[in-house]
Amino acid sequence: MQHDMFAESRSAVRIGPGAMLLGGFASAEARALLAQIPKLGAVSPFRHMTTRNGGRLAVAMFNCGETGWISDRRGYRYQSLDPETGNPWPAMPDLFRSLAGRAAAAAGFAGFSPDACLVNRYDAGTRLSLHQDMDEQDHDAPIVSVSLGLSATFLWGGALRADRPERHRLHHGDVVVWGGPSRMTFHGVDGVERGDHPETGPWRYNLTFRRAQ
Ligand code: SIN
Ligand code: FE2
């Protein structure tokens, strides 16, 4: 019993008001989550989206769910059709939705029902600069972010871009949830190291669940 309590206190860390790093929360399901990615990617493939000024996002992405986040020459927004295929994004697997709901509840946000899941793929050296998730209409719902494969460093900043971020190492199966007073916190990703992960080889994947509409 004492051992279990120790393990639990180590695995869940409060990183801010309404923000938790749930260490290993998705470990038991990680393999099943990963097995969905090629199936979803057969409908909406990974791609490097364009930015407003013609740049290329370093992180490769696609979405599943009723709506999906995109970036192009017109800026950032959500839309229900994949611009690459002209078809709806693939449906969100039940396992994804269920995991997101359970992780949100474990962090104090009961009843989270995501309508969008952004699937991100990083290779060694890929960085995601500090940003806020602000294209969603619903800012009451939390963000649930699942790390799979190679480890990375999560940059956890403040309410201002200039706030110096804390650095939290994220490993395979870790889940970060942020909502309430932390919902608009600046965050990013750094430090994906070259590696050969037993489940994902040279990649880090991240599933970001949101209530967008
Ligand atoms: C994101 O902020 O959209 C992704 C975060 C991550 O990859 O851990
Ligand atoms: Fe984000």
Side-chain angles (χ1 to χ4, degrees):
M1 269 293 119
Q2 214 171 348
H3 178 258
D4 286 347
M5 284 169 68
F6 177 64
E8 199 171 303
S9 65
R10 280 183 62 215
S11 63
V13 183
R14 185 179 177 277
I15 58 172
M20 301 277 288
L21 196 174
L22 305 170
F25 190 89
S27 294
E29 290 147 288
R31 191 170 285 183
L33 295 168
L34 283 169
Q36 293 293 326
I37 293 179
K39 295 182 196 170
L40 300 168
V43 179
S44 282
F46 278 111
R47 82 290 307 262
H48 293 274
M49 295 184 197
T50 305
T51 60
R52 197 188 276 278
N53 58 18
R56 174 183 183 267
L57 294 184
V59 182
M61 305 171 175
F62 68 81
N63 293 272
C64 62
E66 291 145 55
T67 189
W69 183 88
I70 65 160
S71 173
D72 63 14
R73 284 286 195 170
R74 287 162 52 203
Y76 304 146
R77 66 195 173 280
Y78 280 87
Q79 64 176 51
S80 58
L81 297 182
D82 176 349
E84 197 96 349
T85 65
N87 295 321
W89 302 104
M92 193 184 302
D94 290 341
L95 175 64
F96 280 28
R97 191 183 303 277
S98 141
L99 171 68
R102 281 180 279 120
F109 301 96
F112 176 55
S113 176
D115 57 7
C117 172
L118 179 63
V119 183
N120 291 311
R121 189 186 68 194
Y122 300 72
D123 58 8
T126 301
R127 298 161 72 170
L128 180 64
S129 57
L130 282 177
H131 65 279
Q132 295 167 297
D133 288 6
M134 59 186 308
D135 305 312
E136 300 73 29
Q137 282 170 31
D138 184 345
H139 289 171
D140 295 331
I143 304 290
V144 174
S145 174
V146 180
S147 290
L148 298 166
L150 293 179
S151 300
T153 299
F154 189 54
L155 307 177
W156 181 247
L160 304 175
R161 189 182 296 277
D163 290 338
R164 189 193 175 90
E166 291 174 4
R167 302 172 71 85
H168 298 282
R169 201 72 183 150
L170 295 181
H171 304 290
H172 183 64
D174 288 352
V175 181
V176 187
V177 180
W178 62 99
S182 286
R183 174 62 180 74
M184 300 309 285
T185 300
F186 277 90
H187 60 280
V189 176
D190 193 3
V192 181
E193 284 165 14
R194 196 165 301 284
D196 186 14
H197 191 276
E199 303 289 344
T200 65
W203 308 110
R204 170 180 186 261
Y205 295 97
N206 166 267
L207 311 176
T208 296
F209 294 92
R210 305 175 178 128
R211 185 85 211 164
Q213 293 174 338

